[in-house]
Amino acid sequence: DVVVAAVEELAAILAGRGGVLSGESVERLIAAGTLLSNADITQIESASYDLRIADQYWCQGKYYTLTDAAPVATIPPYSFALVQARELARLPRFIVGTFDIRVGLFFSGVILSNGPQVDPGYSGALFCMLHNASGTEVGINRGDHFATIQFQTTATNSIGYNSKHQNKK
């Protein structure tokens, strides 16, 4: 049933006019094993998915691991952290992803820096730099939503990403 639903969804997406995938499409494709692995369907929104922070991050020259005893990723004022999403990308060759900071963190003074897109066909980790531009320490709780990714169809099927970062973890 899951495979049939995914094939029907792919047919509807490809026959449509293109654009950003709906939450329903995201849910069906994730259930079929594409778009994202390690995903949680409760993170799916109407036309996006809320990425959760992974347990390891780098800040001010050190690696930190989030645990039950130390559950907050802390970014000092005017500093930055390199973070990864818990979810791993698994994009088909006709879907591109873009992700950016959640609005609440933006209003706290955090700016997300990453590449312009997640290329069609890319499989692997989603990394970015979070810069705390405020004069106040900012914390992100273990497993919390820190960024939002949306998926769009390409105008035509691409050859797919096949470079040095493929399957990076």
Side-chain angles (χ1 to χ4, degrees):
D1 288 346
V2 170
V3 173
V4 169
V7 169
E8 289 172 350
E9 194 62 35
L10 289 173
I13 290 167
L14 294 174
R17 62 184 186 274
V20 176
L21 298 187
S22 69
E24 292 83 9
S25 294
V26 170
E27 183 173 358
R28 288 182 186 126
L29 294 176
I30 288 173
T34 190
L35 293 185
L36 297 169
S37 60
N38 299 332
D40 175 353
I41 61 165
T42 66
Q43 299 298 112
I44 298 171
E45 297 295 337
S46 61
S48 62
Y49 180 92
D50 292 337
L51 296 169
R52 300 164 296 156
I53 192 165
D55 283 346
Q56 232 184 10
Y57 71 103
W58 183 91
C59 186
Q60 295 187 330
K62 297 179 190 172
Y63 283 98
Y64 295 91
T65 300
L66 300 178
T67 64
D68 290 339
V72 180
T74 303
I75 309 171
Y78 311 112
S79 189
F80 67 91
L82 300 177
V83 302
Q84 176 182 339
R86 278 189 181 189
E87 297 80 6
L88 299 172
R90 297 192 58 180
L91 298 184
R93 296 180 323 167
F94 61 92
I95 293 179
V96 63
T98 55
F99 67 98
D100 209 340
I101 195 79
R102 81 182 263 194
V103 174
L105 283 173
F106 174 77
F107 285 134
S108 296
V110 178
I111 301 165
L112 184 146
S113 178
N114 64 344
Q117 68 184 25
V118 183
D119 285 332
Y122 174 72
S123 258
L126 298 168
F127 296 98
C128 67
M129 180 177 72
L130 300 180
H131 175 72
N132 179 3
S134 78
T136 307
E137 180 177 279
V138 174
I140 304 169
N141 292 322
R142 183 180 191 201
D144 271 3
H145 160 218
F146 77 98
T148 299
I149 189 168
Q150 67 178 17
F151 303 98
Q152 294 177 264
T153 57
T154 57
T156 60
N157 205 15
S158 76
I159 60 170
Y161 181 85
N162 192 16
S163 194
K164 66 180 180 179
H165 300 297
Q166 188 71 299
N167 299 312
K168 188 166 187 89
K169 298 211 171 60

